[in-house]
Amino acid sequence: MAVVDIRKLSKTYQLGSVQVPALQEVDLQIEPGQFVAVMGPSGSGKSTLLNLLGCLDRPTSGRYYLGGEDVSGLDDDRLSLIRGKRIGFIFQSYNLIGQLNVVENIQLPMFYQGFSEQASAEHAEQLAVTVGLADRLRHRPSELSGGQQQRVAIARALANDPVIVLADEPTGNLDSASGAEILAILERLHSAGKTLIIVTHDTEIAARAQRIIRLRDGQVETELANEN
Amino acid sequence: MFLFRLKHIVRLGAKSLWMHRLRSILTTLGIVFGVCSVIAMLAIGEGASQAAQQAIAQLGSTNLIVETVRPPEEKTDTGGGQFIDEYGLTYDDAESIRNTIPDVQVVVPIREIDQKARYLTRPEVAIKIIGTIPWYTEISPVRVSRGRFLSSVDLQYRLAVCVIDDQVARKLFAFDDPLGLDVKIHGSYYRVVGIASPPAPAHTTASFGTNPPAAGETSGVVGSVYIPLTTTRCRFPEISARFTGGSSSREKVELQKITVKADSSEQVLPLRDILDALLDRLHEKQDYQIVVPLEQLRAMARLKRIYSVVLGSIAAISLLVGGIGIMNIMLATVSERTREIGIRRALGARKRDIIVQFLSETLLLTLAGGAIGIILGSLIPSLVTYFGNMPTVITGGSLVLAFGISAAVGITFGLYPAYRAANMDPIESLRHE
């Protein structure tokens, strides 16, 4: 069964008196463990799709089943719960909290799910080690390089063992060396069985994906399956 | 789990407040001064009221005190040079009160004379003679610590004995035991038969209710010497010279006070009316006044209520201003941390989690302010007592009140910023730079 199942999903923004369709009746099914790249020019609806997939926004019409549960009509509290438990976010600009150190940042999603301090700290340290930050546990984000910050963000995205990991241009702010490192980690996640959905302009990333979905004007333009 | 959250939230709040130290301190000042002034004002108010109540209570709540007052000056009698101005309470008055008013338990006539006392060749000490009768102890909280008070035998035989109070004993005799020794006052010797503890320090009683004694100055007076009324009557003249603006006149006053004790406090006010009617008949001039401590106590209570309301409103306004300052800063903080709010929301924080976070930050700020305010507020009254020579009393209630108020201010003025933070759109806030 598809972990992400989108049926005729539409999102229309109201800009003054004008209605701007951002996403029009998109259908999409993603199987567990798939590595999907979403591409398209700016304004094509990539961000809108990502926000909807991440339960940050609610569709104007259509249905979204995440892991079999219809989440398109849930209230704010339920959506918060789903974001915390089932979705891991990786952002282009890392979005770490500056006052917290590496471990505390990774603990954050667990904090909102009510884990105990000790359990979450242990788990967070473990995750930090797996992304290669064993010697940076008590550092602040401002003391880390971009690549290291993004690794913290990845560890944080994995904290609650989410059903899907959503990444928005994860290498967009990084130099090519750090980008490659991040990509390697993402691939490792994929081979460990995580479902990855990455919005990107980077053809390098897209080339590693199993599926490439191209959006244009709020609709799926083409869908390719990669051979490798 | 709850503790973990609380710890996390408090630590986070403390961190972000610490990052903006100066701002946090300035913000807190409003609360600090508010709380500080609440405590200080309450302490000063309470101190003043307690001192006054004590002073009044010492006069006795079932007592009525009739005092001699100098009647308004009459222009017509300035002609005669040897004219003696005769006014005030008399022995007859005391007798009439005793004989005509049935409810009266005790009637104590009192004569007050400012004099100097001497022991052997030691320096003279200014004292106040209180000429009275043995039942004086019924109407005054004076306690005899050693020896005895005046007796009816003393009174009957006009004996030259006296009871002196602690201060006089200390000043006059230093390390000698005064009992059985003789004090020289106005040319005669009086044997000390008892030592009394005075009811209270003189300065607290001076400003309340009773007029200063009719004759002379009280300043420099060390304490009281109690002498049988009959003895004072035959040994001290009732006529004294008074100097007013160049011309001198002489006046005659028999008694300075007559204190009347009622059976119960319900009888005090009716008794006052009866006394007034009686004395009005006996006196042509308005040369007396009736002081009722009970009434004063009640008036004090009323005054205290008004005082509390006024102080309360001043404090409330200052706390309101402080609270608005806090709200202002918290709104700025919320908009500064929009992105953080977006991140937290994306990571699973519910609206109420965000509310709790910002509310506890505000609370932390105000409670810290409250704590500092309490510390400062507890110091100020002691400074006032030390430098201003005013009694102050810090009650535990006022500390609790102040802390409660600062918490209430924190919650009240923190709610709106927290609500604003919680209701920001996660997508918008994530995009916020």
Side-chain angles (χ1 to χ4, degrees):
Chain A
M1 196 188 69
V3 63
V4 170
D5 188 356
I6 281 176
R7 312 218 170 223
K8 289 194 184 311
L9 202 67
S10 296
K11 179 71 188 179
T12 309
Y13 289 111
Q14 190 84 30
L15 283 180
S17 57
V18 192
Q19 294 210 327
V20 183
L23 219 54
Q24 296 174 40
E25 306 209 328
V26 171
D27 284 302
L28 181 67
Q29 282 78 39
I30 296 170
E31 298 301 323
Q34 271 191 335
F35 182 174
V36 180
V38 179
M39 302 186 77
S42 53
S44 59
K46 290 190 311 269
S47 303
T48 307
L49 180 62
L50 200 70
N51 288 339
L52 287 172
L53 286 175
C55 291
L56 286 166
D57 209 351
R58 267 171 282 204
T60 314
S61 67
R63 291 267 165 260
Y64 171 21
Y65 299 91
L66 177 65
E69 185 187 356
D70 184 2
V71 296
S72 28
L74 295 182
D75 64 12
D76 194 89
D77 275 5
R78 301 287 301 279
L79 286 180
S80 301
L81 184 72
I82 286 172
R83 284 198 297 270
K85 261 190 163 150
R86 303 219 213 151
I87 298 167
F89 287 95
I90 301 167
F91 302 95
Q92 179 174 1
S93 48
Y94 331 127
N95 278 342
L96 302 178
I97 292 177
Q99 295 140 13
L100 303 179
N101 66 30
V102 168
V103 172
E104 288 167 337
N105 262 294
I106 300 172
Q107 271 181 288
L108 210 54
M110 294 185 263
F111 163 67
Y112 287 116
Q113 298 312 318
F115 281 81
S116 79
E117 162 84 52
Q118 205 192 352
S120 67
E122 273 171 24
H123 188 44
E125 283 180 26
Q126 238 171 0
L127 286 166
V129 171
T130 57
V131 296
L133 291 170
D135 52 347
R136 294 279 189 279
L137 296 179
R138 307 285 165 220
H139 289 230
R140 297 284 178 85
S142 54
E143 299 159 342
L144 301 176
S145 71
Q148 287 169 329
Q149 290 190 50
Q150 194 60 297
R151 281 190 262 162
V152 177
I154 292 172
R156 183 180 64 183
L158 298 174
N160 284 331
D161 193 21
V163 179
I164 55 172
V165 174
L166 297 175
D168 185 5
E169 301 276 12
T171 57
N173 282 8
L174 299 173
D175 58 72
S176 52
S178 312
E181 280 175 32
I182 295 301
L183 194 54
I185 294 174
L186 290 176
E187 282 208 292
R188 230 165 60 214
L189 288 183
H190 168 54
S191 46
K194 282 278 168 217
T195 310
L196 276 178
I197 303 168
I198 300 181
V199 170
T200 186
H201 285 296
D202 193 341
T203 47
E204 193 125 337
I205 295 182
R208 312 283 182 96
Q210 289 169 300
R211 289 168 72 187
I212 301 172
I213 294 161
R214 286 190 181 276
L215 292 179
R216 181 175 286 275
D217 299 330
Q219 285 170 320
V220 177
E221 190 186 39
T222 55
E223 217 199 298
L224 299 173
N226 261 351
E227 316 319 313
N228 50 353
Chain B
M1 186 202 106
F2 176 73
L3 269 181
F4 166 43
R5 284 193 172 212
L6 196 72
K7 201 179 131 200
H8 176 93
I9 284 167
V10 167
R11 197 171 50 184
L12 200 81
K15 266 185 185 170
S16 81
L17 293 176
W18 182 247
M19 264 177 54
H20 306 284
R21 262 155 300 200
L22 183 64
R23 188 163 84 180
S24 303
I25 290 168
L26 291 178
T27 311
T28 316
L29 279 186
I31 298 294
V32 170
F33 290 138
V35 167
C36 189
S37 62
V38 170
I39 293 176
M41 284 197 272
L42 285 178
I44 293 168
E46 187 68 29
S49 124
Q50 277 194 13
Q53 278 176 348
Q54 228 171 23
I56 295 168
Q58 244 164 39
L59 298 174
S61 60
T62 54
N63 285 356
L64 292 99
I65 302 164
V66 190
E67 295 177 334
T68 292
V69 289
R70 186 174 292 129
E73 216 68 59
E74 284 159 46
K75 297 276 188 238
T76 48
D77 60 300
T78 48
Q82 287 300 68
F83 181 79
I84 296 175
D85 193 8
E86 201 177 333
Y87 66 89
L89 301 166
T90 62
Y91 294 95
D92 289 344
D93 290 337
E95 205 54 40
S96 306
I97 293 170
R98 205 186 337 256
N99 293 337
T100 44
I101 305 179
D103 284 341
V104 171
Q105 227 182 27
V106 185
V107 177
V108 179
I110 296 165
R111 207 176 150 197
E112 295 175 338
I113 308 157
D114 284 317
Q115 271 293 348
K116 290 194 165 52
R118 178 193 285 277
Y119 171 61
L120 300 178
T121 56
R122 295 185 191 173
E124 279 190 327
V125 169
I127 50 139
K128 182 159 87 175
I129 291 173
I130 296 180
T132 188
I133 60 174
W135 298 276
Y136 182 80
T137 49
E138 297 274 319
I139 53 106
S140 164
V142 68
R143 282 184 304 109
V144 176
S145 52
R146 295 183 58 213
R148 59 172 179 85
F149 199 69
L150 305 172
S151 71
S152 43
V153 176
D154 299 334
L155 199 68
Q156 194 181 345
Y157 296 104
R158 301 172 190 182
L159 295 182
V161 294
C162 67
V163 173
I164 61 178
D165 71 23
D166 287 339
Q167 284 118 322
V168 176
R170 215 172 306 126
K171 200 84 175 176
L172 217 49
F173 294 96
F175 300 107
D176 295 333
D177 181 3
L179 282 184
L181 299 181
D182 293 325
V183 181
K184 187 179 181 186
I185 303 170
H186 199 241
S188 349
Y189 290 92
Y190 297 84
R191 177 142 301 168
V192 177
V193 295
I195 298 169
S197 308
H203 73 270
T204 51
T205 45
S207 56
F208 273 92
T210 55
N211 277 359
E217 283 290 315
T218 49
S219 60
V221 171
V222 170
S224 306
V225 173
Y226 304 91
I227 292 176
L229 185 63
T230 48
T231 315
T232 62
R233 193 173 189 186
C234 60
R235 296 203 183 193
F236 295 94
E238 285 159 354
I239 297 172
S240 62
R242 181 159 62 95
F243 301 94
T244 42
S247 70
S248 76
S249 62
R250 289 194 288 168
E251 56 182 28
K252 179 170 183 263
V253 177
E254 289 189 1
L255 293 173
Q256 268 70 37
K257 279 183 199 166
I258 299 174
T259 299
V260 177
K261 187 181 168 82
D263 278 339
S264 64
S265 51
E266 287 84 58
Q267 288 174 346
V268 167
L269 294 182
L271 193 55
R272 201 238 348 238
D273 295 339
I274 298 171
L275 261 181
D276 205 14
L278 176 67
L279 289 171
D280 193 46
R281 209 149 36 78
L282 295 172
H283 288 251
E284 286 175 13
K285 296 177 281 189
Q286 189 60 40
D287 54 1
Y288 66 91
Q289 67 174 15
I290 301 174
V291 176
V292 184
L294 185 70
E295 264 188 338
Q296 290 181 332
L297 271 174
R298 288 182 182 156
M300 259 318 287
R302 270 198 302 278
L303 202 66
K304 198 188 163 192
R305 259 202 303 283
I306 294 169
Y307 197 50
S308 308
V309 169
V310 171
L311 286 186
S313 355
I314 293 172
I317 289 169
S318 70
L319 281 165
L320 184 73
V321 172
I324 290 170
I326 284 201
M327 179 144 92
N328 193 10
I329 290 298
M330 285 315 290
L331 284 173
T333 305
V334 164
S335 76
E336 244 174 44
R337 288 160 65 183
T338 303
R339 199 182 175 87
E340 179 194 324
I341 295 163
I343 297 169
R344 287 174 179 275
R345 294 282 279 136
L347 297 180
R350 293 163 301 176
K351 285 184 176 180
R352 78 183 78 135
D353 294 320
I354 302 294
I355 287 184
V356 166
Q357 183 189 340
F358 281 93
L359 203 54
S360 54
E361 211 165 293
T362 316
L363 212 55
L364 210 63
L365 208 59
T366 51
L367 288 185
I372 298 170
I374 283 175
I375 294 168
L376 286 182
S378 318
L379 289 179
I380 288 179
S382 18
L383 291 181
V384 167
T385 306
Y386 186 77
F387 291 111
N389 197 23
M390 273 164 69
T392 53
V393 177
I394 299 172
T395 56
S398 75
L399 297 187
V400 172
L401 180 76
F403 207 70
I405 286 173
S406 54
V409 166
I411 290 172
T412 312
F413 292 95
L415 262 179
Y416 177 63
Y419 175 81
R420 276 261 293 253
N423 281 289
M424 289 199 281
D425 180 34
I427 301 169
E428 291 288 323
S429 11
L430 275 170
R431 257 187 235 137
H432 193 268
E433 283 308 317

